[in-house]
């Protein structure tokens, strides 16, 4: 269960979040827990979660190690700061910052090089779903961003299926719609990397996941976890998502 805080919270708010959140998930063993705060909060988040089972991730990275690239942050720096995950190719990065499949591949490789688990996002926009292009969009994103990896590299990442029309809108894909998309992605993984890898690959669903819909989504065999935006900002609601079986 991964929380994506997007551009919310200061370091002080990060401390306050973990103070409430940690005791609520102290006994959670049914899933891995990851929080992805903005860059300035990473240090506070790493300190707060030291010795706990909560992993910390960034929301983006640049593919070089260091250099004259004003405003960017490298995988090397994230690893040194204590991150173990990083989100790659969130639809807001694709949409507002023009990230291409070539960028997705470079960023995924950079994350792996620095031992960060990439959470690589794919997903169709509303007009693509309405015109029946969902599968071709997912295929194109998979083929361009992930298929060029070696089997060893691919085995170390997590995929997040996030239909763009469901992000921050309150419109969740039905569990069935999400499962269909996950199945399609998994078939693509099987064709390229084999059945065993397809079965082992974790595919998270993201898009308006809340405490009251997580159970129905997670009841789908195809759905291995969730990437949660808005509902991860409140420690009680994200804890309810982590503890969805209870
Ligand atoms: P949301 O965001 O849960 O607020 O819809 C999900 C995401 O963008 O990762």
């Amino acid at each position: 269960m991964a929380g994506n805080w997007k551009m919310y919270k200061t370091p002080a708010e990060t401390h306050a979040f973990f103070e409430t959140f940690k005791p609520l998930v102290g006994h959670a063993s049914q899933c891995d827990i990851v929080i992805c705060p903005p860059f300035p909060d990473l240090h506070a988040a790493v300190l707060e979660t030291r010795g706990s089972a909560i992993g910390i991730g960034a929301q983006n990275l640049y593919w070089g190690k260091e250099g004259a690239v004003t405003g960017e942050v490298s995988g090397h720096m994230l690893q040194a700061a204590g991150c173990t995950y990083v989100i790659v190719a969130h639809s807001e990065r694709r949409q507002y910052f023009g990230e291409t499949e070539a960028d997705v591949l470079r960023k995924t490789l950079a994350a792996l090089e620095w031992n960060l688990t990439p959470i690589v996002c794919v997903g169709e926009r509303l007009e693509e779903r309405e015109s029946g292009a969902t599968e071709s969009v997912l295929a194109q994103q998979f083929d361009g961003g992930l298929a060029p990896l070696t089997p060893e590299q691919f085995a170390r990442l997590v995929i997040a299926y996030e239909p763009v029309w469901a992000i921050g809108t309150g419109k969740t894909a039905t569990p069935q719609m999400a499962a269909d998309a996950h199945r399609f992605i998994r078939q693509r993984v099987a064709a390229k990397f084999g059945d065993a890898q397809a079965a082992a690959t974790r595919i998270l669903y993201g898009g308006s996941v809340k405490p009251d819909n997580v159970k129905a989504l997670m009841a789908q065999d195809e759905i291995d976890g969730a990437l949660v935006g808005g509902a991860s900002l409140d420690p009680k609601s994200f804890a309810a998502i982590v503890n969805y079986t209870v």
Side-chain angles (χ1 to χ4, degrees), residues 105-106 108-110 112-113 118 142-159 189 192-194 197-198 201:
L105 180 59
R106 278 193 284 253
T108 302
L109 286 168
L112 292 169
E113 184 185 342
F142 177 83
D143 292 354
L146 298 180
L149 297 172
T150 66
E152 294 71 27
Q153 289 165 338
F154 186 83
R156 292 165 52 208
L157 60 77
V158 174
I159 296 176
V189 175
K192 172 73 193 175
F193 296 106
Q197 181 57 62
T201 299

Side-chain angles (χ1 to χ4, degrees), residues 24-41:
L24 296 174
V25 297
H27 302 293
S29 56
Q30 81 277 20
C31 65
D32 293 332
I33 307 170
V34 182
I35 301 267
C36 301
F39 292 130
D41 301 336

Side-chain angles (χ1 to χ4, degrees), residues 37-93:
F39 292 130
D41 301 336
L42 288 174
H43 182 63
V46 166
L47 289 182
E48 284 287 347
T49 54
R50 196 160 277 172
S52 80
I54 303 165
I56 298 300
Q59 300 170 14
N60 183 30
L61 80 165
Y62 187 76
W63 49 81
K65 180 186 174 191
E66 57 190 12
V69 196
T70 301
E72 293 295 321
V73 173
S74 72
H76 172 53
M77 293 164 176
L78 295 178
Q79 185 204 45
C83 292
T84 47
Y85 289 82
V86 61
I87 298 172
V88 174
H90 188 279
S91 64
E92 287 150 18
R93 301 293 318 169

Side-chain angles (χ1 to χ4, degrees), residues 2-4 6 87 90-92 121 162-163 166-171 205-210 227-232:
N4 170 15
K6 309 195 178 185
I87 298 172
H90 188 279
S91 64
E92 287 150 18
C121 303
E162 298 207 313
I167 295 177
T169 58
K171 285 186 205 157
Y205 167 77
S208 297
V209 176
K210 310 280 178 224
L227 180 54
V228 184
S232 73

